[in-house]
Coordinates of all heavy atoms in Angstrom, one line a residue:
A1 N 9.9 -18.1 3.5 CA 10.5 -19.1 4.3 C 10.1 -19.0 5.7 O 9.9 -17.8 6.2 CB 12.0 -19.0 4.1
K2 N 10.0 -20.0 6.5 CA 9.6 -19.9 7.9 C 10.6 -19.1 8.7 O 10.3 -18.5 9.6 CB 9.4 -21.4 8.5 CG 8.3 -22.1 8.0 CD 8.2 -23.5 8.6 CE 7.0 -24.2 8.0 NZ 6.8 -25.6 8.7
E3 N 11.9 -19.3 8.3 CA 12.9 -18.6 9.1 C 12.9 -17.0 8.9 O 13.2 -16.3 9.8 CB 14.3 -19.0 8.7 CG 14.6 -20.5 9.0 CD 14.0 -21.4 7.8 OE1 13.9 -21.0 6.7 OE2 13.7 -22.6 8.2
A4 N 12.4 -16.6 7.7 CA 12.4 -15.2 7.4 C 10.9 -14.6 7.5 O 10.7 -13.6 6.9 CB 13.0 -15.0 6.0
R5 N 10.0 -15.4 8.0 CA 8.7 -14.9 8.0 C 8.4 -13.6 8.8 O 7.6 -12.8 8.3 CB 7.8 -16.1 8.6 CG 6.3 -15.7 8.5 CD 5.4 -16.8 9.0 NE 5.4 -18.0 8.1 CZ 5.2 -19.2 8.5 NH1 4.7 -19.4 9.7 NH2 5.2 -20.2 7.7
E6 N 9.1 -13.5 9.9 CA 8.9 -12.3 10.7 C 9.3 -11.0 10.0 O 8.6 -10.0 9.9 CB 9.6 -12.4 12.0 CG 8.9 -13.3 13.0 CD 9.5 -13.3 14.4 OE1 9.9 -12.2 14.8 OE2 9.6 -14.4 14.9
E7 N 10.4 -11.1 9.2 CA 10.9 -10.0 8.5 C 10.0 -9.6 7.3 O 9.7 -8.5 7.1 CB 12.3 -10.2 7.9 CG 13.4 -10.3 9.1 CD 13.5 -11.7 9.7 OE1 13.1 -12.6 9.0 OE2 14.1 -11.8 10.7
T8 N 9.5 -10.7 6.7 CA 8.6 -10.5 5.6 C 7.3 -9.9 6.0 O 6.8 -9.0 5.4 CB 8.3 -11.9 4.9 OG1 9.5 -12.5 4.5 CG2 7.4 -11.7 3.7
I9 N 6.7 -10.4 7.1 CA 5.5 -9.9 7.7 C 5.7 -8.4 8.1 O 4.8 -7.5 7.9 CB 5.0 -10.7 8.9 CG1 4.5 -12.0 8.4 CG2 3.9 -10.0 9.6 CD1 4.1 -13.0 9.5
A10 N 6.8 -8.0 8.6 CA 7.1 -6.6 9.0 C 7.2 -5.8 7.8 O 6.6 -4.6 7.7 CB 8.4 -6.5 9.8
A11 N 7.8 -6.3 6.7 CA 7.8 -5.5 5.4 C 6.4 -5.3 4.8 O 6.1 -4.2 4.3 CB 8.7 -6.2 4.4
I12 N 5.6 -6.4 4.9 CA 4.2 -6.4 4.4 C 3.5 -5.3 5.2 O 2.7 -4.5 4.6 CB 3.6 -7.7 4.5 CG1 4.2 -8.7 3.5 CG2 2.1 -7.7 4.3 CD1 3.8 -10.1 3.6
E13 N 3.6 -5.3 6.6 CA 2.9 -4.3 7.3 C 3.3 -2.9 7.0 O 2.4 -2.0 6.9 CB 3.2 -4.6 8.8 CG 2.5 -5.7 9.4 CD 2.8 -6.0 10.9 OE1 3.6 -5.3 11.4 OE2 2.2 -6.9 11.4
Q14 N 4.5 -2.7 6.7 CA 5.0 -1.3 6.3 C 4.4 -0.9 5.0 O 3.9 0.3 4.9 CB 6.6 -1.3 6.3 CG 7.2 -1.4 7.6 CD 6.9 -0.2 8.5 OE1 6.7 1.0 8.0 NE2 6.8 -0.5 9.7
L15 N 4.4 -1.8 4.1 CA 3.8 -1.5 2.8 C 2.3 -1.2 2.9 O 1.8 -0.3 2.2 CB 4.1 -2.6 1.7 CG 5.6 -2.6 1.3 CD1 5.8 -3.9 0.5 CD2 6.0 -1.3 0.6
L16 N 1.6 -2.0 3.7 CA 0.2 -1.8 3.8 C -0.2 -0.5 4.5 O -1.1 0.1 4.2 CB -0.5 -3.0 4.6 CG -0.5 -4.3 3.9 CD1 -1.0 -5.4 4.8 CD2 -1.4 -4.3 2.7
L17 N 0.7 -0.1 5.5 CA 0.5 1.2 6.2 C 0.7 2.3 5.2 O 0.0 3.3 5.2 CB 1.4 1.3 7.4 CG 1.1 0.5 8.6 CD1 2.2 0.6 9.7 CD2 -0.3 0.9 9.2
R18 N 1.7 2.2 4.4 CA 2.0 3.2 3.4 C 0.8 3.4 2.4 O 0.4 4.4 2.0 CB 3.3 2.9 2.7 CG 3.7 3.9 1.6 CD 4.0 5.2 2.2 NE 4.3 6.2 1.2 CZ 3.9 7.4 1.2 NH1 3.2 7.9 2.2 NH2 4.2 8.2 0.2
R19 N 0.3 2.2 1.9 CA -0.8 2.2 1.0 C -2.1 2.8 1.7 O -2.8 3.6 1.0 CB -1.2 0.7 0.6 CG -0.4 0.2 -0.6 CD -0.8 -1.1 -1.0 NE -2.3 -1.3 -0.9 CZ -3.0 -2.2 -1.6 NH1 -2.4 -3.0 -2.4 NH2 -4.3 -2.3 -1.4
D20 N -2.2 2.5 2.9 CA -3.4 3.1 3.6 C -3.3 4.7 3.7 O -4.2 5.4 3.5 CB -3.5 2.5 5.0 CG -4.7 2.9 5.8 OD1 -5.8 2.9 5.1 OD2 -4.7 3.1 7.0
E21 N -2.1 5.2 4.0 CA -1.8 6.6 4.0 C -2.1 7.2 2.6 O -2.7 8.3 2.5 CB -0.4 6.9 4.4 CG -0.1 6.6 5.8 CD 1.4 6.7 6.1 OE1 2.2 7.1 5.2 OE2 1.8 6.4 7.2
L22 N -1.7 6.5 1.6 CA -1.9 7.0 0.2 C -3.4 7.0 -0.2 O -3.9 7.9 -0.8 CB -1.0 6.3 -0.8 CG 0.4 6.5 -0.7 CD1 1.2 5.5 -1.6 CD2 0.8 7.9 -1.1
L23 N -4.1 6.0 0.3 CA -5.5 5.8 -0.1 C -6.3 6.9 0.6 O -7.3 7.4 0.1 CB -6.1 4.5 0.4 CG -5.7 3.3 -0.5 CD1 -6.1 2.0 0.1 CD2 -6.2 3.5 -1.9
E24 N -5.8 7.4 1.8 CA -6.6 8.5 2.5 C -6.3 9.8 1.8 O -7.2 10.7 1.9 CB -6.1 8.6 3.9 CG -6.5 7.4 4.8 CD -6.0 7.5 6.2 OE1 -5.3 8.5 6.5 OE2 -6.2 6.6 7.0
Q25 N -5.2 9.9 1.1 CA -4.9 11.2 0.4 C -5.6 11.3 -1.0 O -5.7 12.4 -1.6 CB -3.4 11.3 0.2 CG -2.7 11.4 1.5 CD -1.2 11.4 1.2 OE1 -0.7 11.5 0.0 NE2 -0.4 11.4 2.3
L26 N -6.2 10.2 -1.5 CA -6.9 10.3 -2.8 C -8.1 11.2 -2.7 O -8.8 11.2 -1.8 CB -7.3 8.8 -3.2 CG -6.2 7.9 -3.7 CD1 -6.8 6.6 -4.0 CD2 -5.5 8.5 -4.9
S27 N -8.3 11.9 -3.8 CA -9.5 12.8 -3.9 C -9.8 12.9 -5.4 O -9.0 13.2 -6.2 CB -9.3 14.1 -3.2 OG -8.3 14.8 -3.9
P28 N -11.1 12.8 -5.8 CA -11.5 12.9 -7.1 C -11.4 14.4 -7.5 O -11.4 15.2 -6.6 CB -12.9 12.4 -7.2 CG -13.4 12.2 -5.8 CD -12.1 12.3 -4.9
P29 N -11.6 14.7 -8.7 CA -11.7 14.0 -10.0 C -10.4 13.4 -10.5 O -9.3 13.9 -10.1 CB -12.2 15.1 -10.9 CG -11.6 16.3 -10.5 CD -11.5 16.2 -9.0
Y30 N -10.5 12.3 -11.2 CA -9.4 11.6 -11.8 C -9.3 11.8 -13.3 O -10.4 11.7 -13.9 CB -9.5 10.1 -11.4 CG -9.6 9.9 -9.9 CD1 -10.8 9.3 -9.4 CD2 -8.6 10.2 -9.0 CE1 -10.9 9.1 -8.0 CE2 -8.8 10.0 -7.7 CZ -9.9 9.4 -7.2 OH -10.0 9.2 -5.8
S31 N -8.1 11.8 -13.8 CA -7.9 11.9 -15.2 C -8.0 10.5 -15.8 O -8.1 9.5 -15.1 CB -6.5 12.6 -15.5 OG -5.5 11.7 -15.1
E32 N -8.0 10.4 -17.1 CA -8.0 9.1 -17.8 C -6.9 8.2 -17.3 O -7.0 7.1 -17.2 CB -8.1 9.3 -19.3 CG -9.4 9.7 -19.9 CD -10.5 8.6 -19.7 OE1 -10.1 7.4 -19.9 OE2 -11.6 9.0 -19.4
E33 N -5.7 8.9 -17.3 CA -4.5 8.1 -16.9 C -4.6 7.6 -15.5 O -4.3 6.5 -15.3 CB -3.2 9.0 -17.1 CG -2.0 8.3 -16.7 CD -0.7 9.3 -16.8 OE1 -0.8 10.4 -17.3 OE2 0.3 8.8 -16.2
E34 N -5.1 8.4 -14.6 CA -5.3 8.0 -13.2 C -6.3 6.9 -13.1 O -6.2 6.0 -12.3 CB -5.7 9.2 -12.4 CG -4.6 10.2 -12.2 CD -5.0 11.4 -11.4 OE1 -6.1 11.7 -11.4 OE2 -4.1 12.1 -10.8
Q35 N -7.4 6.9 -13.9 CA -8.4 5.9 -13.9 C -7.8 4.6 -14.4 O -8.0 3.5 -13.9 CB -9.6 6.3 -14.7 CG -10.4 7.3 -14.1 CD -11.6 7.8 -14.9 OE1 -11.8 7.1 -16.0 NE2 -12.4 8.7 -14.5
Q36 N -6.9 4.6 -15.4 CA -6.2 3.4 -15.9 C -5.3 2.8 -14.8 O -5.3 1.6 -14.6 CB -5.5 3.7 -17.2 CG -4.9 2.5 -17.8 CD -6.0 1.5 -18.3 OE1 -7.1 1.9 -18.6 NE2 -5.7 0.3 -18.3

């Protein structure tokens, strides 16, 4: 909704930052379950 757009964008930014942090922590080798 246009009225709640700022809150939604802020939540999206927080999740994207968290994902970025987790992506930086990834290191191979991966198990079959992790690959799935």
Side-chain angles (χ1 to χ4, degrees):
K2 289 182 182 180
E3 298 82 26
R5 186 179 288 159
E6 288 187 38
E7 294 85 18
T8 305
I9 290 173
I12 290 170
E13 285 178 355
Q14 290 295 326
L15 290 172
L16 288 174
L17 287 173
R18 180 68 183 137
R19 271 183 42 157
D20 190 38
E21 291 171 2
L22 290 171
L23 286 172
E24 288 177 4
Q25 295 175 8
L26 287 178
S27 61
Y30 304 114
S31 67
E32 281 294 320
E33 180 184 346
E34 289 176 336
Q35 287 180 1
Q36 187 62 31

